[in-house]
Amino acid sequence: MSLAEEGHLLIIGAGLAGYHTARQVRAQGHAGPITILGAEAHPAYDRPALSKAFLCGTTDLCDLYLDDPSDPLDARWVRSDAVTALSTEPLGVQTASGTFYLGDAVVIATGAEARRLGGHAIRSVEDAAALRAAPLAGARVAVIGGGFLALETAATCTTRGAGSVTVIAGEDLPGLRRLGRPVARALHSLHEQHGVRFTGAARALGVTRAPGDPQADQVVTLSDGRGIPADVVISAIGASPATEWLSRSALALDPGTQAVLADDTGFTGIPGVWTAGDCALWSAQRTGLRPVGHWQETVDQAQALAAALLGGSPSPMQEPYLWSDQHHVTIQAAGMLALADEVQVLAGSIEGNDLLVSYLRGGTEIGILGMNRLREVVRWRKSRRIRPAVLAA
Amino acid sequence: MSPPIAVFLTEEGTVHALDDTCTHQDASLAAGWVEDCRVECPLHESTFSLTTGEVDQPPAKRGVRAHQVTVRDGEVLVELSTAAPKLPPGVEVA
Ligand SMILES: Cc1cc2nc3c(=O)[nH]c(=O)nc-3n(C[C@H](O)[C@H](O)[C@H](O)COP(=O)(O)OP(=O)(O)OC[C@H]3O[C@@H](n4cnc5c(N)ncnc54)[C@H](O)[C@@H]3O)c2cc1C
Ligand code: FES
């Protein structure tokens, strides 16, 4: 059941998924009203720079706004009003301010919230601004987490003149389980070249202060009994779907992550209710075929959802793609890395920060990762591109 | 001072010159993908017209400068645009 031409589209969450869904729905010809409800006080903004240029101090919040003030989206934005409940009969949502919004279709795009172990976290611009304002110069910084967000934050802290940066990645080399040994060694080498230290396989258990002395250092306690003293602690240990407000709704949530379950067009199974972005788990993500929590995945989902919502021809999902910036090295990965059973180095070296790696399954290439290999990665993505016409044929 | 300039040769044999730096972030368009007289940024989704520099879709909001190109006896001559360059936030001309 698609959205009628004059139907009211209600989008919950004013982030990347919400903005791109509205943009795609307009681009694909929807004429009816669009309302985007957001909990934050700011215009919708893009998050990737929060751990990079924004944290360095070279860009500001207004540089990160998603909508273009000189060519604004034809949509109504409501800020600072969190949605508290979904109603299926009639279809609509309730907000914290007590307003009920009716919609002909509802898209749930509330993203995710940072998991916090202690100290700083980085999900919202307020989080990033707090860390940006922290006295990092000369400080001992401990970063908990071994994913790209943790590594980017560690790199930015060195740029900001931290006295020392220690990363507690919870594995022998950062990214070892997800990206394989050559890439994990190259990431480790890149960060060591810039003075970042790693604590190895031990996991962080918690963050404490010396009792009775509020001025004392924080200490990150590790599973092997060590304690890492630090002036600034940052947790980058992943994010959980922001779906607490849906716990009593009719929607099916993933028992593990509490993400909203949907098919591969974002349809939840409840008439008129759709979902995309970091709060959602589409079928292909549930089976591990596609990644969760990346920018391009969210943008591609918004496009596919919009096409299905309007009853147009299906919009194919391209090969998954993600990028990261660490110490001025651009890391890009494309394809189904998680399914690989073999990793081959195609070019470059561990120490040269120019590695190009192929991921294979049963001898067939299914993914690629490059460090400062922009040309090779773009060529790979284009060679695997799925065109809508091919799908329709 | 001018920011770096990228010169493109299309499959059709035409030559074009644009400011090399994407207006979204500091990425070199020379490493991008050329198709249908546009270049796609190697990092994100925006594509720029090789003839006018205009941008088609986010995340970049502004186009890049296009420069006048003449090919004479196999030499590429570029006449710099007099417009102000549109660099991404935080990036300055060295
Ligand atoms: C610091 C950081 C760096 C990143 N860097 C990269 C990168 O380099 N490469 C990459 O591929 N990806 C990166 N990502 C991931 C990418 O930004 C996310 O995948 C993307 O933001 C997901 O978009 P979303 O709209 O689902 O969620 P969000 O962007 O989180 O937006 C959700 C919005 O919904 C709002 N909301 C939540 N609950 C409610 C409610 N009940 N009512 C109303 N509104 C609500 C939230 O306040 C928020 O504004 C990064 C993420 C972060 C946090
Ligand atoms: S850097 Fe070019 S589109 Fe983002």
Side-chain angles (χ1 to χ4, degrees):
Chain A
M1 199 178 58
S2 57
L3 181 64
E5 208 168 300
E6 293 304 320
H8 179 203
L9 175 60
L10 201 51
I11 297 176
I12 318 306
L16 187 70
Y19 168 73
H20 274 274
T21 301
R23 202 184 142 265
Q24 281 296 335
V25 163
R26 276 284 177 254
Q28 296 179 30
H30 183 62
I34 299 177
T35 305
I36 308 172
L37 304 175
E40 294 187 80
H42 317 283
Y45 57 89
D46 210 9
R47 293 175 201 273
L50 296 182
S51 51
K52 312 176 187 82
F54 181 88
L55 197 52
C56 272
T58 53
T59 59
D60 286 310
L61 176 58
C62 59
D63 299 319
L64 308 183
Y65 291 156
L66 289 166
D67 202 12
D68 182 353
S70 68
D71 181 21
L73 203 62
D74 175 14
R76 178 180 170 215
W77 298 88
V78 179
R79 292 189 220 160
S80 305
D81 199 7
V83 170
T84 52
L86 172 74
S87 153
T88 47
E89 202 53 65
L91 188 58
V93 296
Q94 181 75 41
T95 69
S97 73
T99 314
F100 188 87
Y101 291 85
L102 276 172
D104 297 302
V106 172
V107 175
I108 296 168
T110 45
E113 283 152 7
R115 278 186 224 126
R116 291 166 199 255
L117 199 62
H120 291 269
I122 317 181
R123 180 76 199 184
S124 68
V125 67
E126 281 78 13
D127 294 335
L131 187 55
R132 176 159 130 161
L136 288 175
R140 291 168 300 172
V141 177
V143 181
I144 307 173
F148 280 161
L149 185 56
L151 296 176
E152 285 175 1
T153 308
T156 307
C157 289
T158 64
T159 310
R160 289 276 313 274
S164 71
V165 179
T166 305
V167 175
I168 301 140
E171 48 186 347
D172 287 326
L173 296 165
L176 185 59
R177 279 184 295 266
R178 282 177 307 114
L179 304 170
R181 185 162 294 273
V183 173
R185 283 183 59 204
L187 289 172
H188 187 261
S189 158
L190 167 65
H191 284 270
E192 285 212 318
Q193 290 165 34
H194 290 84
V196 174
R197 288 193 294 251
F198 291 87
T199 52
R203 299 177 58 80
L205 298 179
V207 183
T208 53
R209 282 181 190 274
D213 179 3
Q215 297 305 313
D217 291 325
Q218 301 170 74
V219 177
V220 183
T221 50
L222 303 192
S223 54
D224 63 2
R226 274 182 292 167
I228 309 292
D231 306 309
V232 176
V233 175
I234 305 162
S235 308
I237 51 172
S240 312
T243 56
E244 230 275 304
W245 63 282
L246 290 165
S247 56
R248 280 173 306 279
S249 76
L251 283 178
L253 303 182
D254 180 67
T257 62
Q258 301 298 306
V260 182
L261 296 174
D263 70 9
D264 285 330
T265 65
F267 180 54
T268 63
I270 291 188
V273 184
W274 304 72
T275 188
D278 287 4
C279 66
L281 198 64
W282 287 19
S283 298
Q285 295 174 309
R286 200 179 189 186
T287 54
L289 273 174
R290 299 195 66 96
V292 175
H294 299 303
W295 191 93
Q296 190 68 51
E297 197 67 11
T298 295
V299 173
D300 287 357
Q301 282 189 348
Q303 183 165 359
L305 187 160
L309 176 67
L310 301 182
S313 55
S315 156
M317 296 284 285
Q318 303 296 334
E319 290 283 356
Y321 167 69
L322 65 103
W323 83 96
S324 172
D325 272 304
Q326 298 166 29
H327 305 292
H328 297 292
V329 174
T330 300
I331 300 154
Q332 295 167 292
M336 313 273 180
L337 270 52
L339 303 183
D341 55 25
E342 189 188 342
V343 185
Q344 269 178 17
V345 175
L346 298 177
S349 68
I350 302 287
E351 298 76 22
N353 306 325
D354 61 350
L355 208 59
L356 183 66
V357 166
S358 171
Y359 292 81
L360 302 102
R361 182 180 180 82
T364 306
E365 184 171 69
I366 55 165
I368 193 168
L369 183 144
M371 297 172 71
N372 280 344
R373 292 279 182 176
L374 285 85
R375 280 199 172 83
E376 287 90 341
V377 174
V378 85
R379 202 174 300 142
W380 194 90
R381 293 177 68 203
K382 292 297 175 186
S383 72
R384 317 267 302 200
R385 168 172 42 172
I386 309 162
R387 293 172 194 269
V390 175
L391 202 82
Chain B
M1 286 301 269
S2 168
I5 289 167
V7 177
F8 301 90
L9 171 64
T10 64
E11 271 183 352
E12 298 74 34
T14 57
V15 179
H16 308 270
L18 300 179
D19 278 352
D20 182 49
T21 311
C22 182
T23 61
H24 176 230
Q25 282 168 21
D26 193 359
S28 163
L29 296 179
W33 181 261
V34 174
E35 193 174 285
D36 297 336
C37 213
R38 302 188 71 86
V39 58
E40 182 176 324
C41 175
L43 272 192
H44 310 126
E45 299 206 286
S46 299
T47 82
F48 300 87
S49 159
L50 293 182
T51 49
T52 65
E54 132 294 313
V55 66
D56 69 332
Q57 60 173 4
K61 295 191 183 89
R62 299 175 305 156
V64 291
R65 290 189 306 176
H67 307 283
Q68 199 77 47
V69 172
T70 357
V71 183
R72 197 181 300 148
D73 300 331
E75 300 226 336
V76 177
L77 305 175
V78 176
E79 191 185 322
L80 274 191
S81 159
T82 51
K86 291 173 231 154
L87 292 170
V91 174
E92 277 154 34
V93 182

